């Protein structure tokens, strides 16, 4: 997905925008929360990264079991 490519290129804002949009479309997808968490961690935005981790933990068990 494109957001991951932006992350690898260190285009953090573009990656966040893509993952934000993906989360709007599929809010129960734990992979998107994890992907956005990785970008926030890379940017040293630790409060936002923790919020994404918490969001993932709060998903139903079927969803939260992913990475």
């Amino acid at each position: 997905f494109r957001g991951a490519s932006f992350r690898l290129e260190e285009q953090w804002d573009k990656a966040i925008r893509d993952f934000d949009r993906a989360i709007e479309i599929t809010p129960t997808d734990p992979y998107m929360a994890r992907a956005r968490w990785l970008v926030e961690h890379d940017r040293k935005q630790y409060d936002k990264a923790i919020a994404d981790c918490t969001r993932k933990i709060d998903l139903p068990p079927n969803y939260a079991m992913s990475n």
Side-chain angles (χ1 to χ4, degrees):
F1 45 38
R2 191 173 66 176
S5 295
F6 287 141
R7 178 179 174 247
L8 292 174
E9 296 170 359
E10 297 184 4
Q11 295 183 36
W12 314 126
D13 293 336
K14 289 181 180 181
I16 290 294
R17 276 194 300 269
D18 273 15
F19 293 131
D20 284 348
R21 181 66 180 131
I23 290 168
E24 285 177 25
I25 294 168
T26 56
T28 58
D29 185 340
Y31 297 105
M32 294 302 112
R34 180 179 185 274
R36 189 171 65 184
W37 167 81
L38 290 170
V39 176
E40 296 296 8
H41 182 269
D42 292 342
R43 290 172 28 159
K44 298 180 179 20
Q45 298 290 317
Y46 300 119
D47 289 342
K48 292 179 181 180
I50 290 169
D52 279 335
C53 287
T54 302
R55 181 181 182 288
K56 184 175 174 181
I57 290 169
D58 290 339
L59 290 173
N62 311 15
Y63 297 106
M65 292 303 294
S66 70
N67 303 339

